[in-house]
Amino acid sequence: MLAEHKLKLLQDLVRSSTKEELVWMNGFLAGVLMNCHDQPSLASTTATAAAPATATAPVAAPAESKPAVSKITIAYGTETGNSKKLATDLAAKAKKSGIQAKVVSLDQYRLNDLAKEEYFFTIISTQGEGEPPATAKKFYDHIHQNGFKLPQIKFGVLALGDTSYPLFCKAGEDVDQQLQKLGGQRIAPLIKCDTDYQGDAEGWFSQVLHSLTTTTSSNGTASVGAVVAKKPTGKKVYTGNIITNINLNDRGSNKATHHIEIVADELEYQPGDSIGIVPENAPAAVDAIIALTGVDARKTLSYRNESHTVLELLKKKVNIAYLPERVVKQYAAIVKQDIPETKISLLDLLKIYPVNNAAQFEEVIGILEPITPRLYSISSSPEAHSGEVHVTVARDNFKVNGEVKHGLCSNFLADLPVDSPLEFYVHKNNQFRLPAPEKDVIMIGPGTGIAPFRSFIAERDAVGATGRNWLFFGDQHFTTDFLYQTEIQNWMQTGVLTKVNVAFSRDQKSKIYVQHKMLENAKAFYEWLQNGAYVYICGAKEPMSVDVENTLLQIIERFGSKTSAQAVEYLNQLKEEGRYLKDVY
């Protein structure tokens, strides 16, 4: 049996665990044992140790578990690549267990095949307001809208998300519930993972493989209920102070891009990470809502198991900027009016479809969702800017029906004076990391896409990295919009930056973008690739990152003497090697 101190630890763990956690641990340990067939079994080791030296009583060898199935499908829906990596990892483990695994992205999955699947496992992330990633949208809609049945399917779902968002892992939850509603049999419990997902994912892998090698029902599979992993307690929240807040754009620019420096104790982050910030609502909007509804701003209300005054809720806790359609629908039910399902601010909604009284508005507060955090790429280096974290924030102003509107978080940050306190957390991005110091890097980051590359360059400078660095940057005008111009010039003069190419789209009649500069330097670009360079892209997803990738394919095709299909294969190989990395939004 266990040594006394180990037994006590186990008993303490069991006593402090919920039923759901015990089920999770049971599956995890079963999977661990399943992968240890080449080692003596625990029962065999204990029996041998307990027998006298002269004893020769035989101990039966444990029967090796064999897969009850021969093939499975692992489909992933991803925005950043995490789900794909985990799907590939699960497939590799399945293969070692003698199970053939087909891995497919949900945007490439043939929806008609779903009715033919027997063992189907999904790894899917959640985006924004509880939505599936774009690559999974077609699949998500298909299983929710077509009204068919899937009685033959045995399934499991691993959901990836971020606990900072109110609708944590909502897309994964929806897929798990819907597959069951369609008649599917859940054979691995739903596990919801935060951004530090590796441990929970490994546990889920073990449960999946255990279910495929266990014959506890007539069809050779183990049936389980939905067991949701205990929601993590949350990320480390830092309380920092603003020490710098300056507009990087010069007078006459169409833009305002703020460089913000924050100092905080015990900061831990890596180049490529972001910080998450929960903004406060605009005071003018809060005041207008209070005046319009006649609610008592000092009254204390219960909201999601916490007590706050109405003023605190409207200012710091609930989203009033742009209500999603599902909230507008609930609002319509409260005020008993027919309201089109559309995104709209709470203030505009109250003006068009007013509440009857303050009490009814208090009911409305209860349906409002929490303010979601906004992520900003870190533009500082832990080695070069110890104790500080910097961000590069474009103030977002736009018009709706002729009225000027403001981006909630960008305006909140841009207006913060020096010495203001600010709470934030670090959002890790393990899919956007620097390579070894001796490797070359090519960085393509127009506009605020420059942010992580300022971090990269400063870090490689501080640690004395020997690899070459090539930067592509673009914006509207050279004289007003060359972000971090002095620093970039200094890095060129000191040799930290090997090459810099800039594109200012509106300084001439025909617009010039970073992809045009890539083509001008196509031969050298391909030579860097052939020499093992890593390529990074950061900035707007569309159209910038799409145009840059198409240009990259042109360069590979032309200077690699390849067909278009071979160029795609070459780029896919870069992705597999981790040499083509994107952080786009």
Side-chain angles (χ1 to χ4, degrees), residues 138-269:
K138 187 165 62 172
F139 171 83
Y140 182 92
D141 291 343
H142 177 71
I143 64 173
H144 280 85
Q145 296 173 0
N146 287 357
F148 50 83
K149 289 294 182 181
L150 298 170
Q152 85 296 340
I153 203 168
K154 291 92 176 173
F155 71 91
V157 177
L158 181 67
L160 304 187
D162 183 336
T163 50
S164 301
Y165 287 78
L167 297 174
F168 173 60
C169 287
K170 183 68 165 57
E173 284 184 338
D174 289 348
V175 170
D176 179 82
Q177 292 171 9
Q178 190 61 20
L179 289 176
Q180 185 184 40
K181 287 179 181 177
L182 295 176
Q185 179 186 359
R186 185 187 294 105
I187 62 170
L190 170 68
I191 296 294
K192 302 197 295 184
C193 301
D194 198 5
T195 50
D196 294 329
Y197 53 79
Q198 200 63 50
D200 285 335
E202 289 288 342
W204 187 76
F205 291 171
S206 295
Q207 292 180 80
V208 167
L209 296 175
H210 176 59
S211 71
L212 297 174
T213 55
T214 303
T215 55
T216 59
S217 65
S218 58
N219 60 6
T221 63
S223 177
V224 301
V227 179
V228 180
K230 186 177 179 181
K231 185 172 176 177
T233 55
K235 300 171 177 62
K236 179 177 179 179
V237 176
Y238 296 93
T239 300
N241 280 291
I242 305 291
I243 57 173
T244 300
N245 189 346
I246 59 171
N247 182 6
L248 296 173
N249 298 95
D250 211 338
R251 283 176 297 179
S253 175
N254 296 320
K255 301 181 175 184
T257 309
H258 284 250
H259 171 78
I260 300 171
E261 299 180 359
I262 308 159
V263 63
D265 294 332
E266 301 179 356
L267 266 174
E268 291 183 13
Y269 66 88

Side-chain angles (χ1 to χ4, degrees), residues 2 23 47 186 215 237 245 336 376 447 468 484 494 544 577:
L2 287 175
V23 172
R186 185 187 294 105
T215 55
V237 176
N245 189 346
K336 295 180 173 54
Y376 292 94
R468 298 178 296 172
Y484 300 114
T494 58
M544 186 278 295
E577 294 172 1

Side-chain angles (χ1 to χ4, degrees), residues 563-577:
T563 64
S564 58
Q566 289 171 332
V568 170
E569 185 179 345
Y570 184 99
L571 185 60
N572 287 336
Q573 184 62 35
L574 291 181
K575 294 176 183 177
E576 292 297 325
E577 294 172 1

Side-chain angles (χ1 to χ4, degrees), residues 227-529:
V227 179
V228 180
K230 186 177 179 181
K231 185 172 176 177
T233 55
K235 300 171 177 62
K236 179 177 179 179
V237 176
Y238 296 93
T239 300
N241 280 291
I242 305 291
I243 57 173
T244 300
N245 189 346
I246 59 171
N247 182 6
L248 296 173
N249 298 95
D250 211 338
R251 283 176 297 179
S253 175
N254 296 320
K255 301 181 175 184
T257 309
H258 284 250
H259 171 78
I260 300 171
E261 299 180 359
I262 308 159
V263 63
D265 294 332
E266 301 179 356
L267 266 174
E268 291 183 13
Y269 66 88
Q270 296 183 57
D273 287 341
S274 302
I275 63 171
I277 297 169
V278 179
E280 295 182 9
N281 289 312
V286 173
D287 293 342
I289 288 171
I290 291 171
L292 196 61
T293 61
V295 70
D296 182 355
R298 297 165 298 178
K299 186 173 181 178
T300 299
L301 299 178
S302 176
Y303 178 80
R304 303 208 172 192
N305 300 320
E306 294 182 354
S307 294
H308 301 280
T309 66
V310 169
L311 181 60
E312 288 172 339
L313 287 169
L314 293 177
K315 185 179 180 184
K316 298 182 178 182
K317 299 296 180 180
V318 297
N319 171 35
I320 64 172
Y322 301 102
L323 309 186
E325 293 177 2
R326 58 180 172 269
V327 173
V328 174
K329 187 176 182 179
Q330 293 177 73
Y331 181 95
I334 291 173
V335 298
K336 295 180 173 54
Q337 296 196 55
D338 186 15
I339 304 175
E341 292 186 15
T342 182
K343 277 192 171 184
I344 188 173
S345 74
L346 178 60
L347 181 57
D348 288 341
L349 192 59
L350 286 164
K351 288 177 180 178
I352 303 170
Y353 306 97
V355 293
N356 294 330
N357 49 47
Q360 193 174 62
F361 180 65
E362 290 174 14
E363 187 179 353
V364 168
I365 291 176
I367 67 166
L368 299 178
E369 295 177 352
I371 301 172
T372 57
R374 273 62 166 178
L375 297 179
Y376 292 94
S377 296
I378 293 174
S379 53
S380 54
S381 151
E383 288 293 328
H385 309 101
S386 179
E388 299 177 10
V389 62
H390 305 171
V391 288
T392 309
V393 180
R395 188 192 283 262
D396 186 18
N397 297 321
F398 52 95
K399 286 187 176 181
V400 176
N401 297 325
E403 184 180 354
V404 176
K405 301 286 186 179
H406 308 288
L408 178 60
C409 196
S410 64
N411 276 268
F412 167 71
L413 290 173
D415 289 338
L416 283 178
V418 170
D419 293 331
S420 297
L422 181 68
E423 289 188 347
F424 63 93
Y425 67 91
V426 173
H427 179 90
K428 297 180 184 296
N429 187 356
N430 292 323
Q431 303 299 315
F432 204 72
R433 292 283 185 243
L434 278 167
E438 70 276 8
K439 300 295 184 181
D440 297 338
V441 298
I442 301 173
M443 299 160 282
I444 305 163
T448 54
I450 188 68
F453 302 139
R454 179 178 183 264
S455 172
F456 280 18
I457 299 164
E459 181 79 1
R460 279 166 72 91
D461 185 19
V463 302
T466 56
R468 298 178 296 172
N469 304 300
W470 187 354
L471 174 68
F472 288 86
F473 172 74
D475 216 311
Q476 291 186 354
H477 298 286
F478 174 86
T479 56
T480 59
D481 306 317
F482 196 161
L483 308 183
Y484 300 114
Q485 178 182 359
T486 302
E487 290 184 3
I488 291 171
Q489 290 172 333
N490 288 340
W491 281 322
M492 277 293 293
Q493 291 168 2
T494 58
V496 178
L497 274 172
T498 310
K499 290 174 70 71
V500 174
N501 290 100
V502 294
F504 295 98
S505 60
R506 302 187 185 183
D507 280 347
Q508 59 285 310
K509 287 184 179 179
S510 57
K511 292 182 178 179
I512 297 177
Y513 298 110
V514 287
Q515 61 265 28
H516 299 122
K517 294 297 178 180
M518 290 169 61
L519 285 174
E520 287 178 13
N521 296 271
K523 184 178 179 181
F525 199 111
Y526 187 72
E527 288 173 353
W528 277 53
L529 286 180

